[in-house]
Amino acid sequence: MYRYIFKRLLIMIPVLLCVSFIVFGLMALAPGDPASIILGGTAEQEQIDKLNHEFGYDRPFLIRYGDFLQNLIFNLDFGTSYRTRQPVIEEIAKRTPVSITLALCGITCAALVGIPIGVLSAVKQYSLLDTILTVSALFLGAIPPFWLGMLLIYFCSYKAGWLPSFGIDSWINYILPAASIGIIYAAQQMRYTRSSMLETIRQDYVRTARAKGAAERTVIWRHALKNALLPTITVIGSNFGALIGGAIIVESLFSIPGLGTLTITGINNRDVPQVVAATLVLAIIYCLVLLLVDILYAAIDPRVKAKFTK
Amino acid sequence: MKRLYTLVSVLLCVIMLLSACTTGKVETSGNADASQATNSSNGSSTRTDINLTLSSIGNSMDPHNSGVTIDLQVQEQIYESLVHVDEKSQVTPRLAKSYTVSDDGLVYTFELRDDVFFHNNEKMKASDVVWSIERAMKSSQMATYCGPIEKVEATGDNTVEITLKYAFAPFINYLYMVKIMSEAEVTSAGDMFSSKVTHAGTGPYMLTTYEPSTKIVLNAFPNYYRGEAAIKTINYYVITDSSSALIAFQNGEIDFASIPTANWAEVEASGQYANELVLSGDIRYLALNVGQKGPLADKRVRQAVQYALDKEAIAIIATDGLGVPADHMIAVGMYDGAVETDWVYEYNIDKCKELLAEAGYPNGVDIGVIETATQRVVAEAVQAQLEAAGIKCKVLVGEAATMVVDWRAGKYDMIVNRFPPAFTYDYYRRYNDYKIDVVFMKYNLNKDCDHEYITATFDKAAATMDKTERDAIYKELEEYLMDIAAWVPLFYPQIPYAWNKNLNAYGYMTYYEVYDWSWK
Amino acid sequence: MDNRKKRTGSKFKETWRRYCKSPAAMIGLIIFIIMFLVAIFANQIVPYSDAVTQNAKERLMQPSLNNWFGTDAFGRSIFARIVHATPTSLFIGISVAVISLVIGGMIGISSAYFGGRYDDLMMRFIDVLSSIPGTLLSMVVVAVLGANMRNMIIAMVIARIRVSARVSRSAVFGTTSQEYIEAAKCGGSSDIRIMIKHIVPNIMGILLVDTTMSVSTSILQAASLSFLGLGVQPPTPEWGSMLNDARIYMRTAPHMMFFPGFAILLASLSISLVGDGLRDALDPRLKS
């Protein structure tokens, strides 16, 4: 098992290299340059060229990429932002814990609500409860996230004055944003769990367990849930990874300084060092999360464990 | 199995709590001030702080390398220049007591105050002024403002002389943007200067906390030469979403805010706040590419477009009724050199169709694509009006970064954009001087446009020191440009401001001075 | 020959019969068919010009007899815009979901089937794709290729593939026992035949659910892209961009947000109900 984990960590390195290359390349393909944006549409070409030269932006893509790699590997330096002229890692270091917290809160809320309800719904399939829960989940899952966020701000912050609507001063500030994310992901979670449970319940071995006279509760929790959870855990892991960099709308609605808005600002400003560094950090977090998910896979499903420890 | 599941969830919760604790600072959040603000009408002790909002994250605190309005507005409280120019182009002395201009308009001599301190309590010397201006001259950001400067030198303990390369009447307006800083403080901070707390300014407030993604705090400088400010602390909160900002304002967490036009009626009607509508020179315009190899190359088609637009309707749609239809690109009465002309284009569909027929398009014409990065609503409104007049076109909304490249190369049909408030008519040159190779409007590609005349007239006006003469030259130029009809002015927005009733404040076009505000 | 045809024919009929047993699935199907018809006959229901003609004097009006859904910030009829947005939004949602299902499914299923090095490699490739924020990918694809509906779909598909791949891969692990696959392999069928004939039907349920979620997510994602200026160009109506336009008027003219949001909801709900119904109807376990 440990060999497997070590192997996975090693593989992360080429993955990260690929990510950095792709992102660097994509940014190079995109038209526009940082100096034009910083200086504005009416600045003289000479000034723009001069500023681009200061940034080193006028060199060919491969040379810039090589420089970036060299800096990263030997100096552990992620580069300097074109927009702020400061090391990019500073801003990223400040924002990463914020994004992680937000994503964790949202996903946990979604899982703790969605999974049990999904199981309940599957077990009581075709009942009125099942229909109500399923339709509610569908309903909630189709709500645009910013609409939900706005409603929450409007009712909980503006009308009722209970909760703050911006900033990250204390843990209270995270409640509304986490709810915006959590409610929508809970719906998705519930549906995945439900359908996965339904597939599992139909399997022969479950019928066998029932036939053998095992209590319904044991059948569900001990036998069925384990297998039903496999796809669900994948989804939770994927969502978490995506959320760290992807909760852009929630971040901008609630003025939360997270990695998502930082990346978008970077793209809009063609701030290549910032975008590449932010993406790398996101990639590292994402790979680690997936590793964790796969370890859980193995812990839950002995067949998978056997496969991995061959 | 169930145990593992429980274990994992507990683990996740613990991690979550730990991260939340480490990131959360338990400072006074915006909420805490709410009760304070709403109670001050009871006559409790006068407040000494003020809560303002920034609509985007800050980038830099270096006034010589900032172009973003948010940064400049905060810097305005911290840094000063030799003079101050207000939004009506009135010049008042600041770091310089007075100044004189030589007869040929080339040498500006400034008499400095001798009681100015930097925020680190170091006394300001003539050498600091010279150093600051020379530093600005090296910056790409300041190229427009420092362009005319040939050299600057200290000619005495308290005198500084700036020599220009050419006579340039608007120079003093441009000089206002060049802020004076402490040489010692800036050089010792090195590369970190723009992003950490430093004390290099001379203004009424100094920087205390700088977290550009969330909060910036300024405190009043006790040794300010005009006297310490009445409001002792400025708290800037970054709230990127305008609806959230409005809610924060209505909750009392923010004391002064610009209100989204969609909500203005509601805010004004509530009667709970002091408010003001400020007319801004930040014009929205439609640019028609004279260099297009299509119908727009013909002046008559361009003029037809001018007559086809119901600017009032566009303004209503784009600003919820708060915009003022515009006839000139540079607002008359607001800026030096912007004067009334003898004629303007009015909304006249018949004239439009007449001109189109004359140009050979009696049944309408397709003039291409309207491109825009930030003015989506305006572009949509313009397109619908042109369609109604028989002029077909499409809208393309894109990223500024991508489109600017094409615009500078003259590769577009039409652009809808905004033109920032200028100080003087001369600023308009940045859009019309064909010699500036990145200018959008390539007059030199259209044989009916006398591009040489345009550039020469701008030069002539800038060199004319007498205001009446200069105004006459600008009037001639404006009428010529209007005749070419490349620029279609659409409307000036009015910016709605609202603030706490107990605050003495005022609305502004671009810059404000918290120094002038106070609590009742 | 005849027997085989009869069997396939009756299999379809059986599935349909089972499908009809669920009231929720029928309701979903009916709603979806109605939306589909609205999409096809949009021009007959209300002329396109109604959706784009502006009227500054009649802005932000509440629903009334003249304007069933009220007017928007430009004075255009919201009803007309909703109707004409139906084909656009449905097309975007469905194409993204289907294309990413096919491509992602191929990757995920083959990955789970072959296992070993191939699985590792594919999953690492998916990891690389996943690590890059979807919006960055979308923004740059559109910046490089140009902003229009086709490129928007391409951008969203690229972002969606990784989800489909992972889901289908884990679905194969979770629901198809290895022994089943081994047995089929022993039978001498080619790999592709096994994958299509044996594996796909078994995981069809989860794939269908994933696809239906995909459709509604894609419609919402299209809204986010419109927000960044990468979506359909104005004045083309599209539910997502209508929601964005309505954002600033949420407090003063809430009706603007209600109708497009409700339309997205209806579309998503009905498609999900259809997917659920299909899943239940296709479940091979019930055959015996």
Side-chain angles (χ1 to χ4, degrees):
Chain A
M1 193 66 206
Y2 295 112
R3 249 189 61 190
Y4 174 73
I5 297 180
F6 183 65
K7 212 173 65 158
R8 282 287 292 269
L9 286 173
L10 266 188
I11 292 184
M12 257 174 71
I13 299 178
V15 166
L16 292 175
L17 271 175
C18 275
V19 169
S20 68
F21 186 75
I22 293 180
V23 175
F24 221 99
L26 286 177
M27 290 297 286
L29 277 177
D33 59 85
S36 296
I37 300 174
I38 294 177
L39 297 178
T42 55
E44 287 145 33
Q45 191 59 49
E46 198 189 307
Q47 294 302 328
I48 292 182
D49 291 339
K50 178 169 153 218
L51 194 54
N52 273 329
H53 183 73
E54 262 179 59
F55 292 148
Y57 196 74
D58 50 357
R59 296 171 300 163
F61 152 67
L62 280 174
I63 296 190
R64 277 189 289 135
Y65 182 63
D67 242 11
F68 161 74
L69 274 185
Q70 224 182 7
N71 235 347
L72 181 59
I73 298 178
F74 296 121
N75 303 336
L76 282 184
D77 175 16
F78 278 85
T80 313
S81 160
Y82 296 154
R83 179 178 60 93
T84 61
R85 324 282 175 105
Q86 299 305 317
V88 291
I89 203 64
E90 277 181 17
E91 191 64 31
I92 293 179
K94 278 191 230 157
R95 291 182 177 232
T96 306
V98 177
S99 278
I100 291 184
T101 315
L102 182 62
L104 265 180
C105 293
I107 289 295
T108 314
C109 161
L112 288 179
V113 169
I115 292 183
I117 294 189
V119 170
L120 185 63
S121 192
V123 163
K124 300 229 183 299
Q125 192 187 18
Y126 300 132
S127 73
L128 184 61
L129 184 64
D130 175 32
T131 319
I132 294 179
L133 288 176
T134 311
V135 173
S136 310
L138 287 173
F139 189 84
L140 286 176
I143 298 184
F146 64 79
W147 196 27
L148 183 60
M150 293 266 6
L151 283 173
L152 287 174
I153 293 180
Y154 187 68
F155 287 114
C156 303
S157 186
Y158 174 53
K159 286 281 184 190
W162 291 332
L163 297 164
S165 64
F166 68 93
I168 47 161
D169 289 330
S170 79
W171 63 273
I172 307 183
N173 292 72
Y174 283 96
I175 296 183
L176 284 185
S180 310
I181 298 175
I183 292 178
I184 294 180
Y185 276 97
Q188 186 200 45
Q189 206 63 60
M190 177 268 181
R191 297 203 63 220
Y192 271 119
T193 310
R194 178 181 177 275
S195 94
S196 190
M197 268 303 277
L198 283 175
E199 301 280 353
T200 318
I201 287 182
R202 302 240 187 289
Q203 306 272 13
D204 288 334
Y205 63 87
V206 173
R207 260 201 251 162
T208 316
R210 274 208 196 105
K212 275 162 83 180
E216 189 66 14
R217 178 169 285 180
T218 323
V219 171
I220 301 298
W221 289 102
R222 179 108 63 84
H223 297 283
L225 190 59
K226 231 179 2 178
N227 290 309
L229 274 189
L230 265 177
T232 324
I233 291 186
T234 320
V235 169
I236 295 181
S238 278
N239 283 342
F240 178 67
L243 260 186
I244 300 193
I248 294 164
I249 292 186
V250 169
E251 282 180 22
S252 59
L253 254 189
F254 292 93
S255 301
I256 293 180
L259 286 174
T261 32
L262 184 66
T263 322
I264 295 294
T265 310
I267 297 171
N268 287 334
N269 288 304
R270 298 293 189 264
D271 193 353
V272 180
Q274 182 147 83
V275 175
V276 175
T279 315
L280 269 183
V281 170
L282 286 171
I284 293 174
I285 298 176
Y286 188 75
C287 288
L288 288 176
V289 166
L290 286 185
L291 184 57
L292 186 65
V293 165
D294 283 345
I295 293 177
L296 280 177
Y297 252 68
I300 296 175
D301 189 345
R303 288 175 308 179
V304 176
K305 184 175 194 165
K307 209 170 178 218
F308 287 143
T309 52
K310 60 175 177 255
Chain B
M1 172 46 227
K2 195 172 169 189
R3 264 178 275 165
L4 181 64
Y5 178 52
T6 327
L7 180 67
V8 170
S9 9
V10 168
L11 197 66
L12 283 173
C13 289
V14 169
I15 299 178
M16 168 186 105
L17 280 171
L18 277 176
S19 345
C21 289
T22 49
T23 60
K25 296 185 202 120
V26 197
E27 327 166 348
T28 342
S29 87
N31 257 341
D33 293 335
S35 38
Q36 202 184 4
T38 45
N39 282 338
S40 39
S41 50
N42 290 344
S44 46
S45 57
T46 326
R47 285 181 55 184
T48 55
D49 66 338
I50 188 173
N51 298 318
L52 302 176
T53 152
L54 298 175
S55 62
S56 65
I57 61 179
N59 300 301
S60 156
M61 270 294 119
D62 181 355
H64 293 165
N65 282 304
S66 295
V68 177
T69 312
I70 298 289
D71 297 329
L72 293 170
Q73 282 173 336
V74 176
Q75 289 161 11
E76 187 67 16
Q77 320 306 318
I78 305 174
Y79 301 102
E80 295 176 308
S81 178
L82 295 176
V83 294
H84 175 79
V85 181
D86 73 4
E87 292 174 341
K88 304 237 180 321
S89 287
Q90 298 304 314
V91 179
T92 41
R94 279 282 189 269
L95 298 178
K97 284 198 286 224
S98 61
Y99 72 96
T100 52
V101 187
S102 67
D103 288 332
D104 57 5
L106 291 176
V107 182
Y108 286 70
T109 315
F110 294 89
E111 192 69 38
L112 303 174
R113 295 182 72 112
D114 59 1
D115 57 351
V116 178
F117 289 92
F118 292 112
H119 296 151
N120 59 0
N121 285 316
E122 174 201 337
K123 202 150 194 266
M124 181 185 85
K125 307 176 289 297
S127 60
D128 291 303
V129 175
V130 172
W131 179 86
S132 297
I133 298 183
E134 285 181 340
R135 180 174 188 267
M137 284 165 70
K138 294 195 211 116
S139 155
S140 320
Q141 205 86 52
M142 297 267 112
T144 317
Y145 308 117
C146 297
I149 303 180
E150 167 85 41
K151 65 175 196 277
V152 51
E153 52 195 356
T155 51
D157 281 342
N158 285 317
T159 351
V160 169
E161 218 173 71
I162 303 183
T163 315
L164 303 185
K165 298 181 195 143
Y166 42 83
F168 192 66
F171 176 64
I172 206 72
N173 300 64
Y174 287 10
L175 188 63
Y176 162 57
M177 295 304 290
V178 183
K179 308 297 182 192
I180 307 301
M181 303 191 280
S182 152
E183 179 178 0
E185 185 80 12
V186 177
T187 33
S188 72
D191 282 336
M192 299 292 291
F193 173 63
S194 62
S195 69
K196 69 172 204 194
V197 175
T198 53
H199 297 118
T202 60
Y205 290 93
M206 51 189 195
L207 196 55
T208 326
T209 309
Y210 184 66
E211 295 290 326
S213 301
T214 42
K215 192 171 173 175
I216 301 179
V217 180
L218 307 182
N219 278 315
F221 178 47
N223 289 336
Y224 184 56
Y225 58 90
R226 282 194 290 157
E228 191 176 343
I231 296 181
K232 306 294 177 206
T233 312
I234 309 179
N235 296 313
Y236 283 106
Y237 295 100
V238 176
I239 309 181
T240 48
D241 181 69
S242 55
S243 309
S244 305
L246 179 60
I247 290 179
F249 173 70
Q250 289 174 311
N251 271 345
E253 297 170 71
I254 302 291
D255 300 311
F256 181 107
S258 83
I259 311 291
T261 54
N263 304 100
W264 174 241
E266 166 201 341
V267 168
E268 198 189 8
S270 76
Q272 286 181 305
Y273 314 100
N275 54 53
E276 189 181 339
L277 269 181
V278 174
L279 184 61
S280 166
D282 185 7
I283 190 174
R284 310 298 196 254
Y285 64 83
L286 171 70
L288 309 170
N289 191 1
V290 301
Q292 186 206 52
K293 300 212 186 328
L296 286 176
D298 186 332
K299 183 161 82 169
R300 288 167 299 195
V301 174
R302 299 196 299 271
Q303 289 182 336
V305 169
Q306 298 265 7
Y307 285 113
L309 295 175
D310 179 359
K311 297 177 188 177
E312 204 180 317
I314 298 178
I316 293 178
I317 290 176
T319 60
D320 298 296
L322 293 180
V324 174
D327 293 316
H328 299 278
M329 288 293 287
I330 310 290
V332 173
M334 265 199 228
Y335 303 113
D336 179 64
V339 291
E340 283 293 1
T341 52
D342 294 330
W343 55 275
V344 292
Y345 290 104
E346 77 277 9
Y347 175 47
N348 190 331
I349 298 270
D350 293 323
K351 260 213 124 154
C352 161
K353 297 212 159 82
E354 205 182 292
L355 280 164
L356 282 180
E358 234 183 275
Y361 305 106
N363 298 321
V365 63
D366 185 335
I367 52 176
V369 180
I370 301 179
E371 298 186 20
T372 184
T374 54
Q375 302 303 314
R376 183 202 158 100
V377 173
V378 179
E380 223 172 323
V382 166
Q383 190 254 358
Q385 300 222 341
L386 290 178
E387 288 271 346
I391 302 176
K392 289 205 210 331
C393 54
K394 291 217 266 282
V395 173
L396 181 66
V397 178
E399 258 192 297
T402 320
M403 299 187 128
V404 155
V405 175
D406 281 339
W407 295 350
R408 298 165 74 104
K411 290 206 215 118
Y412 63 92
D413 298 319
M414 293 166 280
I415 299 174
V416 166
N417 207 354
R418 55 197 284 186
F419 185 84
F423 304 108
T424 109
Y425 192 91
D426 183 78
Y427 205 72
Y428 195 22
R429 166 203 295 266
R430 328 224 79 257
Y431 287 69
N432 290 300
D433 187 349
Y434 81 101
K435 287 221 212 79
I436 303 176
D437 57 4
V438 293
V439 109
F440 297 170
M441 200 55 71
K442 312 282 186 203
Y443 290 116
N444 49 325
L445 292 179
N446 186 315
K447 57 176 173 43
D448 295 327
C449 301
D450 191 347
H451 50 279
E452 307 268 359
Y453 165 73
I454 297 175
T455 308
T457 316
F458 268 112
D459 287 336
K460 189 165 110 184
T464 310
M465 303 307 285
D466 172 59
K467 181 154 167 58
T468 326
E469 271 181 54
R470 195 165 64 230
D471 284 353
I473 302 176
Y474 278 138
K475 177 169 165 195
E476 191 189 310
L477 181 56
E478 174 73 359
E479 287 182 351
Y480 181 72
L481 288 174
M482 281 168 65
D483 181 61
I484 294 187
W487 302 97
V488 186
L490 295 171
F491 64 86
Y492 304 112
Q494 291 187 89
I495 313 177
Y497 292 105
W499 58 90
N500 189 316
K501 275 198 162 144
N502 293 316
L503 181 65
N504 288 320
Y506 54 81
Y508 53 88
M509 202 154 48
T510 319
Y511 299 114
Y512 52 90
E513 320 264 313
V514 178
Y515 184 71
D516 298 333
W517 297 353
S518 57
W519 287 104
K520 298 205 174 109
Chain C
M1 268 314 140
D2 272 335
N3 271 342
R4 267 234 295 257
K5 228 197 195 169
K6 238 204 270 182
R7 260 194 295 156
T8 346
S10 63
K11 177 176 165 189
F12 183 76
K13 271 207 214 142
E14 254 203 61
T15 313
W16 173 248
R17 207 171 40 84
R18 274 203 296 274
Y19 183 89
C20 294
K21 276 205 196 147
S22 160
M26 287 308 289
I27 294 180
L29 188 61
I30 292 175
I31 298 181
F32 180 68
I33 290 181
I34 294 179
M35 295 198 102
F36 200 72
L37 288 174
V38 167
I40 297 183
F41 294 111
N43 272 320
Q44 278 68 33
I45 299 178
V46 64
Y48 185 69
S49 60
D50 277 7
V52 290
T53 307
Q54 299 178 6
N55 187 340
K57 295 192 192 45
E58 291 188 359
R59 300 173 70 223
L60 304 173
M61 289 175 42
Q62 297 288 327
S64 66
L65 282 175
N66 273 341
N67 291 300
W68 295 347
F69 289 174
T71 57
D72 67 358
F74 293 86
R76 300 178 292 209
S77 158
I78 293 184
F79 175 70
R81 288 183 69 77
I82 297 258
V83 166
H84 283 280
T86 312
T88 318
S89 303
L90 279 186
F91 179 71
I92 295 175
I94 296 178
S95 10
V96 172
V98 168
I99 299 176
S100 64
L101 168 73
V102 168
I103 302 180
M106 284 195 312
I107 297 177
I109 294 175
S110 63
S111 195
Y113 179 74
F114 291 117
R117 277 257 154 78
Y118 176 76
D119 181 22
D120 272 345
L121 197 65
M122 284 320 263
M123 280 305 106
R124 295 298 75 76
F125 169 63
I126 294 292
D127 282 350
V128 169
L129 261 192
S130 314
S131 317
I132 306 174
T135 327
L136 164 62
L137 270 179
S138 309
M139 281 179 80
V140 182
V141 165
V142 175
V144 170
L145 294 176
N148 58 47
M149 189 161 79
R150 185 198 65 172
N151 297 331
M152 195 167 99
I153 294 179
I154 294 176
M156 289 201 283
V157 163
I158 295 178
R160 191 77 201 163
I161 286 179
R162 55 218 191 172
V163 177
S164 311
R166 283 216 147 242
V167 168
S168 51
R169 176 177 178 269
S170 70
V172 174
F173 277 144
T175 62
T176 313
S177 57
Q178 301 286 56
E179 301 81 35
Y180 193 29
I181 300 180
E182 296 294 343
K185 271 194 195 163
C186 288
S189 320
S190 78
D191 291 324
I192 298 193
R193 219 176 132 81
I194 297 180
M195 285 196 273
I196 297 182
K197 279 210 87 170
H198 297 284
I199 299 187
V200 169
N202 271 325
I203 62 172
M204 192 65 106
I206 295 196
L207 285 187
L208 269 175
V209 175
D210 180 54
T211 312
T212 53
M213 311 267 333
S214 248
V215 175
S216 69
T217 316
S218 304
I219 296 182
L220 290 171
Q221 240 171 18
S224 314
L225 284 184
S226 305
F227 184 63
L228 296 167
L230 309 175
V232 297
Q233 294 296 334
T236 316
E238 196 257 315
W239 294 330
S241 60
M242 286 173 73
L243 264 178
N244 281 306
D245 288 343
R247 204 173 140 190
I248 47 174
Y249 295 103
M250 201 190 160
R251 286 159 52 159
T252 47
H255 69 278
M256 276 181 74
M257 284 207 110
F258 178 66
F259 294 105
F262 190 63
I264 296 180
L265 193 60
L266 260 190
S268 158
L269 196 60
S270 63
I271 296 173
S272 301
L273 285 174
V274 169
D276 268 0
L278 271 178
R279 191 193 52 76
D280 287 342
L282 281 172
D283 197 354
R285 292 291 162 197
L286 289 179
K287 264 197 259 187
S288 41

